[in-house]
Amino acid sequence: MGSLTTADPAVVSDFSVAAANHAAFEPLNPEDVRACLHKAVDFISDYYANIESLPVLPDVEPGYLQRELMASPPSYSTPFDVTMKEVRASVVPGMTHWASPNFFAFFPATNSAAGIAGDLIASAMNTVGFTWQAAPAATEMEVLALDWLAQLLCLPATFMNHTNTGDRGTGGGVILGTTSEAMLVTLVAARDAALRRSGSIGVSGLPRLAVYAADQTHSTFFKACRLAGFDPANIRSIPTGPENDYGLDPAKLLKAMQADVDAGLVPTYVCATVGTTSSNAVDPVGAIADVAALFCAWVHVDAAYAGSACICPEFRHHLDGVERVDSISISPHKWLLTCLDCTCLYVRDARHLSDSMETSPEYLKNDATDSGEVTDLKDMQVGVGRRFRGLKLWMVMRTYGTAKLQEHIRSDVTMAKMFEGLVRADHRFEVVVPRNFAMVCFKIKASGTMTEEDADEANRMLMKNLNKTGKAYLAHTVIGDRIVLRFAVGSTLQEERHVRSAWELIKNTTNEMMMD
């Protein structure tokens, strides 16, 4: 009988797999953890090292993965190397690479070594921090990270979990998954406060409640309103225009709210945005808060993208008046190097949120909660279970410091300014709205015999042709009834050369289109 050292490799492999399947199952065997994570870390490092050479958009058809991988789960185990091989061969080619330096669509989804490490450690600990007692360090880390970020943003002390003296404040924060969740929980809190204020018994007064936002507000707001039970007929989308750079006009807001009062409705909630998705418009926070105060309406500020820029003094004025709003949310996973998911919600009076969200079953009762000295973050969100999100945010701020984070923001804004200048210098294009932060809205402009409708079609075709090259990825929007291309700078790996290369691709693609 031959020895195993000279046997067919396939036989050895089959023998190894068979032995593994008969061994005791130890999913957290320390040596297996070490081996798997080392291989995963190598994969991640190689991915970032090579991502620039990958097509930003994949060339796959719907259902491709079902055809490439097993249609049914395996009965027996297989070496981790086989699993990783399938990830490389089938998953990576089907990914849209948001981390690519050639990604300019939507808003950035930034990341960093410290952010990845924080998320990895939190995932390994796998704590479920619904109460302080269930995970004291997870709760306290989240509170600390939120207060740190509040200080970077120069938010008033009323939004912080702890005052300057270290005492608990009346405000506070929670880290949620998305802006949608932040809107939903604040809408529910505002709804309940308005019902109490109007003397409604239960939800009988719900059909009378009205909510307001500009037509540039993210569509998730209108979805959250429906989920919170507001009558779609009472959701006001206030038109914006170039006269206010597509920001919400306080005069129009006042008119709409007064008209609703005259009709017997109760103004309940106003959503202001700092950096809208379509045009990066900035609603005037202070003026909106002044109008809403006349009707005792809740004001929420959605600063998901642009709020991160406000850690730089030169952008902080966009939050002027925030001390008069009721809540504000910022998503560091967009522009502050903290990987998904991480949306920071601050409220001026945390009791309004907990009054609506609190749940206290017997099995979660404990002395720490009863003492009133701790924050149970389950009472500031829709669900009960929650991830240890605070660790990665704290690790990003602790590792890089304020100066490096500001440098990161400023570098992106500088590159966007450069791109804006290149667009303005080409007579075929126009910048549609003034650039705010690091996104440029531009389009091929109608000129000569080209109508606005022709220009719309040309912009659609330009985007399609650009994206199918795999060398860049842009998205579009509609502003003033016209098709507009959005160029969002901010992918963590982006450098000036990537922006210039994208512009050359845009110019050359346009040249080819106009010659056809």
Side-chain angles (χ1 to χ4, degrees), residues 82-161:
V82 174
T83 304
M84 289 302 300
K85 182 179 179 180
E86 292 183 348
V87 170
R88 291 186 179 92
S90 298
V91 176
V92 173
M95 293 297 294
T96 296
H97 298 291
W98 284 65
S100 170
N102 300 310
F103 183 98
F104 300 99
F106 311 115
F107 280 133
T110 57
N111 213 341
S112 63
I116 295 170
D119 214 30
L120 177 62
I121 294 169
S123 294
M125 290 181 173
N126 204 30
T127 185
V128 186
F130 32 69
T131 63
W132 181 92
Q133 188 176 58
T139 297
E140 301 222 357
M141 177 61 78
E142 185 159 329
V143 168
L144 177 63
L146 285 163
D147 281 355
W148 274 21
L149 181 58
Q151 291 174 64
L152 292 187
L153 294 165
C154 297
L155 293 183
T158 49
F159 283 105
M160 297 176 66
N161 292 279

Side-chain angles (χ1 to χ4, degrees), residues 114-324:
I116 295 170
D119 214 30
L120 177 62
I121 294 169
S123 294
M125 290 181 173
N126 204 30
T127 185
V128 186
F130 32 69
T131 63
W132 181 92
Q133 188 176 58
T139 297
E140 301 222 357
M141 177 61 78
E142 185 159 329
V143 168
L144 177 63
L146 285 163
D147 281 355
W148 274 21
L149 181 58
Q151 291 174 64
L152 292 187
L153 294 165
C154 297
L155 293 183
T158 49
F159 283 105
M160 297 176 66
N161 292 279
H162 295 97
T163 66
N164 294 331
T165 60
D167 297 325
R168 290 193 68 191
T170 57
V174 61
I175 303 180
L176 303 173
T178 65
T179 301
S180 308
E181 294 175 62
M183 288 180 176
L184 178 59
V185 297
T186 53
L187 276 162
V188 170
R191 177 198 70 190
D192 293 350
L195 290 172
R196 290 191 296 268
R197 192 169 62 246
S198 61
S200 173
I201 299 176
V203 295
S204 61
L206 189 54
R208 296 176 54 223
L209 305 187
V211 296
Y212 310 82
D215 60 5
Q216 294 290 306
T217 302
H218 198 283
S219 61
T220 194
F221 168 72
F222 303 98
K223 177 180 180 179
C225 288
R226 296 195 299 273
L227 290 174
F230 290 93
D231 186 338
N234 295 339
I235 302 173
R236 308 289 179 239
S237 179
I238 299 175
T240 60
E243 65 278 3
N244 290 313
D245 294 333
Y246 295 92
L248 178 57
D249 184 345
K252 290 182 180 178
L253 175 64
L254 174 60
K255 183 177 180 180
M257 297 180 84
Q258 187 59 58
D260 281 338
V261 170
D262 294 342
L265 299 180
V266 179
T268 300
Y269 185 102
V270 182
C271 182
T273 306
V274 176
T276 60
T277 299
S278 280
S279 59
N280 235 340
V282 176
D283 294 338
V285 172
I288 289 170
D290 290 341
V291 171
L294 300 174
F295 305 93
C296 298
W298 184 292
V299 179
H300 175 71
V301 176
D302 168 15
Y305 160 67
S308 294
C310 296
I311 69 170
C312 301
E314 63 268 31
F315 296 113
R316 177 56 179 77
H317 66 278
H318 291 300
L319 294 181
D320 285 354
V322 70
E323 68 278 0
R324 301 195 296 281

Side-chain angles (χ1 to χ4, degrees), residues 242 246 419-435 440-447 450-452 455-456 459 462 479-480 482-487 503 506 510 514:
Y246 295 92
F419 182 83
E420 180 186 30
L422 294 172
V423 173
R424 291 188 184 278
D426 191 317
H427 69 277
R428 298 170 299 178
F429 294 91
E430 64 178 320
V431 174
V432 179
V433 294
R435 178 200 49 76
V440 179
C441 293
F442 73 104
K443 70 184 184 75
I444 297 173
K445 63 183 178 182
S447 61
M450 181 185 286
T451 65
E452 291 291 353
D456 282 347
N459 284 295
L462 174 58
I479 301 176
R482 301 270 68 95
I483 299 295
V484 175
L485 303 185
R486 299 168 68 262
F487 191 89
W503 174 244
I506 291 168
T510 303
M514 291 187 171

